[in-house]
């Protein structure tokens, strides 16, 4: 039986290799399986949990749609839409925020990381973000949610919220409890400058990530400058212990070439880092440059991107408005 897939990406600019390998590559695979019903959302309501420039946000929404399509998601097969276009997401988030418990949210590590030391100044939205994420997923009865490893905790919260709603209102299996789809290996791509930090859009240094809009020279330059360590290439997985940068680069190679880490290690065991980096750059150029060129081409056709979103909003709204109507009836409105 096919799966009902829902996942989202924030339109916060600088979509990168981590977003691609951790999420979008998997979206494409799921899109290509004809048995699946897929919904991919540009989560613009999530984006404003931190300050956004309105003009940039509009541009980034289009760029995210372009990235989905350029990576291989077919808008005729899957629904691609932006979250703010479907009112049920905000309505659902409010109702579910009355089901979720403070204690559950207080455990969310992403809030702690993103709010940093000055929690008092973080937006309420940043704190309650996982509840909106739960509404996103539950409105579509999604059975599976493909995400990167960093979203695992939010998905567990979504499952808890669904179960509590069903229990509180005595509606067995009304909100479907979704399963996470997280790749077993290399599900967290790390910064090219610091193997202990995840590759991220908001990191100030552009050298820390491969953007999906980078050209050949930028990719080669970033890999050349990527941090390594003074030791030689590892000969076994054990030799990767305590070497996060080497592990990350080999993980990226393995993921992009669909090889295991062991095979990738064996392949470069007698090389030096600069030979390995040359091969890694070539592989990245091969995979990322066609996507980057397609994104640039699509961005020139704004009316196509806007009409794709509008069509997606219409289709998503049909599903979500039915579910929110039922939710409201159950709650007693
Ligand atoms: N480094 C990563 N490795 C693997 N997967 C990742 N994802 C993000 N970074 C990595 C996955 O990409 C999907 C979309 O993420 P998002 O844009 O919605 O939000 P994010 O996780 O907050 O992305 P960033 O880059 O980390 O943004 P900032 O810098 O703003 O915090 C998700 O499935 C995520 O798991």
């Amino acid at each position: 039986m096919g799966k009902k897939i829902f996942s989202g990406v924030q339109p916060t600019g600088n979509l990168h290799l981590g977003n691609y390998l951790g999420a979008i590559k998997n979206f494409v695979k799921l899109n290509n399986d004809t048995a699946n019903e897929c919904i991919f959302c540009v989560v613009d309501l999530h984006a404003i949990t931190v300050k956004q420039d309105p003009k940039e946000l509009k541009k980034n929404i289009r760029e995210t749609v372009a990235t989905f399509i350029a990576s291989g998601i077919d808008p005729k097969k899957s629904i691609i839409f932006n979250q703010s276009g479907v009112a049920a997401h905000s309505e659902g988030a409010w109702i579910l925020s009355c089901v979720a418990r403070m204690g559950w949210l207080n455990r969310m590590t992403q809030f702690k990381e993103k709010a940093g030391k000055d929690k008092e100044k973080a937006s309420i939205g940043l704190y309650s973000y996982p509840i909106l994420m739960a509404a996103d997923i539950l409105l579509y009865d999604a059975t599976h949610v493909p995400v990167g490893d960093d979203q695992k905790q939010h998905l567990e919260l979504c499952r808890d919220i669904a179960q509590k709603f069903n229990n509180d209102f005595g509606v067995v299996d009304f909100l479907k409890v979704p399963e996470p789809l997280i790749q077993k290996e290399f599900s967290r791509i790390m910064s090219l400058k610091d193997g202990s930090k995840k590759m991220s859009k908001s990191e100030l240094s552009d050298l820390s990530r491969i953007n999906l809009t980078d050209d050949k020279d930028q990719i080669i330059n970033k890999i050349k400058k990527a941090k390594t360590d003074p030791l030689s290439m590892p000969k076994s997985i054990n030799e990767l212990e305590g070497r996060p940068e080497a592990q990350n680069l080999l993980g990226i190679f393995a993921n992009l070439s669909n090889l295991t880490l062991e095979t990738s290690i064996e392949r470069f065991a007698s090389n030096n880092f600069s030979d390995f980096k040359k091969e890694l750059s070539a592989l990245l150029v091969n995979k990322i440059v066609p996507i980057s060129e397609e994104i640039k081409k699509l961005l020139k056709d704004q009316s196509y991107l806007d009409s794709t979103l509008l069509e997606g909003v219409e289709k998503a709204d049909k599903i979500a408005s039915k579910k929110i109507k039922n939710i409201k009836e159950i709650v007693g409105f």
Side-chain angles (χ1 to χ4, degrees):
M1 209 177 78
K3 302 180 177 81
K4 278 194 181 178
I5 305 293
F6 183 97
S7 197
V9 172
Q10 294 190 65
T12 37
N14 299 331
L15 280 169
H16 51 72
L17 186 68
N19 298 125
Y20 180 71
L21 294 179
I24 300 172
K25 187 179 164 209
N26 214 0
F27 296 177
V28 176
K29 228 196 284 161
L30 293 159
N31 166 89
N32 291 345
D33 182 338
T34 50
N36 294 333
E37 287 170 46
C38 302
I39 304 180
F40 299 115
C41 187
V42 180
V43 286
D44 47 9
L45 295 173
H46 282 287
I48 62 163
T49 54
V50 294
K51 198 167 186 317
Q52 301 293 331
D53 170 346
K55 273 201 195 116
E56 277 292 302
L57 180 60
K58 203 164 230 149
K59 178 179 144 274
N60 289 333
I61 291 171
R62 289 194 182 113
E63 196 169 304
T64 310
V65 182
T67 305
F68 281 169
I69 300 173
S71 305
I73 298 173
D74 174 6
K76 295 277 170 245
K77 159 87 172 65
S78 298
I79 299 177
I80 297 178
F81 79 107
N82 61 320
Q83 195 185 22
S84 63
V86 177
H89 289 255
S90 308
E91 283 187 276
W94 178 258
I95 294 173
L96 295 181
S97 74
C98 299
V99 174
R101 303 290 95 180
M102 291 284 288
W104 298 356
L105 277 180
N106 286 341
R107 286 197 285 274
M108 297 297 114
T109 54
Q110 193 183 75
F111 174 74
K112 290 178 195 157
E113 279 159 24
K114 288 202 172 175
K117 286 196 187 90
D118 204 353
K119 286 195 190 56
E120 300 288 317
K121 286 205 175 136
S123 74
I124 310 273
L126 189 67
Y127 179 73
S128 60
Y129 171 120
I131 303 177
L132 176 60
M133 178 167 158
D136 299 340
I137 296 164
L138 300 173
L139 282 170
Y140 298 91
D141 292 336
T143 58
H144 294 82
V145 183
V147 281
D149 179 64
D150 58 319
Q151 291 296 329
K152 196 172 167 192
Q153 197 185 28
H154 290 166
L155 213 64
E156 276 157 14
L157 183 86
C158 169
R159 291 165 58 87
D160 288 343
I161 292 176
Q163 276 157 347
K164 181 160 166 40
F165 183 96
N166 291 343
N167 282 339
D168 285 357
F169 294 100
V171 281
V172 180
D173 209 27
F174 169 73
L175 291 182
K176 302 283 176 280
V177 180
E179 294 294 331
L181 281 180
I182 299 174
Q183 293 172 82
K184 285 191 190 66
E185 284 192 296
F186 330 119
S187 55
R188 194 178 284 236
I189 305 299
M190 310 311 273
S191 156
L192 299 179
K193 290 272 139 208
D194 178 352
S196 67
K197 280 197 200 154
K198 78 166 187 166
M199 187 177 284
S200 139
K201 299 175 190 139
S202 52
E203 169 60 47
L204 283 179
S205 168
D206 196 53
L207 289 175
S208 68
R209 64 181 164 259
I210 304 284
N211 299 308
L212 296 179
T213 48
D214 282 347
D215 62 25
K216 182 178 172 192
D217 292 345
Q218 285 169 312
I219 294 173
I220 294 173
N221 183 42
K222 285 177 181 179
I223 294 300
K224 205 188 263 172
K225 294 201 168 134
K227 188 175 171 195
T228 47
D229 54 45
L231 303 175
S232 51
M233 289 295 290
K235 299 198 168 29
S236 68
I237 287 201
N238 289 346
E239 285 186 27
L240 275 179
E241 182 91 29
R243 302 177 65 187
E245 286 83 16
Q247 178 160 7
N248 188 41
L249 293 179
L250 277 158
I252 293 172
F253 183 89
N255 192 331
L256 279 171
S257 48
N258 294 318
L259 294 173
T260 63
L261 188 57
E262 283 93 334
T263 318
S264 306
I265 291 172
E266 269 167 34
R267 181 154 164 194
F268 295 104
S270 53
N271 287 90
N272 54 36
F273 266 109
S274 65
D275 293 331
F276 163 64
K277 281 184 164 185
K278 271 187 204 138
E279 285 220 30
L280 177 61
S281 296
L283 182 61
L284 278 162
V285 166
N286 208 1
K287 295 274 176 182
I288 302 301
V289 171
I291 296 177
S292 160
E293 284 173 355
E294 189 60 23
I295 294 174
K296 285 172 196 146
K297 208 165 94 194
L298 285 164
L299 283 174
K300 290 195 185 125
D301 193 352
Q302 291 194 357
S303 63
Y304 168 68
L305 297 174
D306 292 348
S307 65
T308 302
L309 272 183
L310 264 181
E311 269 174 44
V313 161
E314 254 174 52
K315 290 184 203 160
D317 191 55
K318 261 194 198 134
I319 307 170
S321 55
K322 252 190 226 156
K323 192 77 181 179
I324 196 75
K325 189 166 171 273
N326 291 336
I327 291 175
K328 285 173 163 179
E329 266 163 26
I330 289 169
V331 168
F333 294 157

